[in-house]
Amino acid sequence: MTRLAVFGATSAIAGAVARLYAAEGARLFLVARNAARLEALAADLRARGAAAVTTAVADLNDFDRHPELVESARAALDGLDAVLIAHGTLSDQAACERDASLARAELTTNFLGPVSLLTALAPVMERQNRGSIAVIGSVAGDRGRGSNYVYGSAKGGLGVFVQGLRHRLGRSNVAVTLVKPGFVDTPMTAALPKGGPLWAKPERVAADIRRALDRGPAVLYTPWFWRWILLVIRLLPDAVFRRTRL
């Protein structure tokens, strides 16, 4: 029986991942800041077949609570087979350009928050000497672009941290995967125009994450075609790249 902890559980992608595990009879520990949405998700997961669902209400920007939350997850599940770090926000680039305090807030949520949480989690996983961690980053972290470089820089920094953490925890048989979704139709992207083949539903991304938590790849681009799109973007010479409107 799999024991899964999800931080940022009420996000669309995280909820879809949790539903897949619930259908398998997993035991779940869920953390989110909205109590009503969290309890509704927990009830749904129990109805779908989860063996047990424990919840904790917390703002994951409250870094001081991270060690307590990790220990609560470990104790409630009697160990951790898999962990999903899924909290974050999509920055308003134009607003961040006008107000440095907004840029700092976005970096706090999308970079410093996951770093703090993973730092609290790492020794627990090391002591177990097993398990897997998936951290949701973004394709935006692969190359700085004028349209979203505040968000992209947070996800890019997170990617380097996760890469180093994977190297560290590999000695303890713990797999760490950086998940890089492309465009996903979720409430977080509600303000963006949607449509076309590049947009994916949360359920498609969740299915990829579910497989990755079993297999433990270093990086998961989801859907798969983003790996090749970003390869082209990364290889564009700067003189060409500066003329684009990406």
Side-chain angles (χ1 to χ4, degrees):
M1 184 184 300
T2 303
R3 300 164 296 179
L4 170 71
V6 184
F7 295 86
T10 56
S11 74
I13 294 173
V17 172
R19 285 191 288 274
L20 292 175
Y21 275 93
E24 300 170 10
R27 296 171 61 196
L28 306 172
F29 185 91
L30 312 176
V31 182
R33 63 182 177 179
N34 186 303
R37 289 175 58 197
L38 182 59
E39 194 47 51
L41 175 62
D44 178 61
L45 296 174
R46 293 184 187 106
R48 290 174 184 268
V53 183
T54 305
T55 62
V57 177
D59 182 343
L60 289 171
N61 277 352
D62 184 356
F63 300 166
D64 290 342
R65 289 199 62 190
H66 289 176
E68 165 211 330
L69 291 168
V70 169
E71 175 54 25
S72 294
R74 186 208 62 77
L77 300 177
D78 192 27
L80 296 169
D81 298 314
V83 179
L84 175 61
I85 310 294
H87 66 289
T89 54
L90 183 60
S91 309
D92 181 331
Q93 175 66 33
C96 289
E97 290 173 12
R98 295 190 298 268
D99 187 341
S101 67
L102 294 178
R104 291 194 300 270
E106 291 300 317
L107 291 170
T108 296
T109 298
N110 291 310
F111 175 59
L112 295 180
V115 164
S116 174
L117 186 55
L118 287 163
T119 299
L121 178 65
V124 174
M125 303 300 281
E126 280 178 318
R127 287 192 294 270
Q128 288 187 164
N129 204 43
R130 61 181 299 276
S132 61
I133 304 168
V135 183
I136 296 185
S138 172
V139 296
D142 277 26
R143 188 167 189 175
R145 294 178 287 125
S147 60
N148 67 352
Y149 62 82
V150 173
Y151 178 74
S153 62
K155 294 299 189 179
L158 180 60
V160 174
F161 182 89
V162 169
Q163 185 180 51
L165 185 65
R166 178 181 175 86
H167 192 212
R168 167 189 167 185
L169 295 183
R171 296 187 290 270
S172 302
N173 301 309
V174 177
V176 184
T177 298
L178 178 65
V179 180
K180 294 187 176 185
F183 301 140
V184 187
D185 187 357
T186 69
M188 194 168 78
T189 59
L192 301 180
K194 298 182 176 68
L198 297 184
W199 282 89
K201 293 295 185 182
E203 292 76 16
R204 180 174 182 180
V205 173
D208 287 343
I209 294 172
R210 175 66 189 90
R211 287 189 292 270
L213 281 166
D214 278 345
R215 300 171 183 173
V219 178
L220 169 69
Y221 285 90
T222 175
W224 61 269
F225 50 76
W226 284 101
R227 175 181 295 276
W228 308 111
I229 293 172
L230 268 296
L231 176 63
V232 172
I233 290 174
R234 290 197 306 272
L235 291 177
L236 283 176
D238 183 65
V240 175
F241 185 70
R242 281 185 295 163
R243 294 186 177 92
T244 69
R245 294 186 177 276
L246 296 173

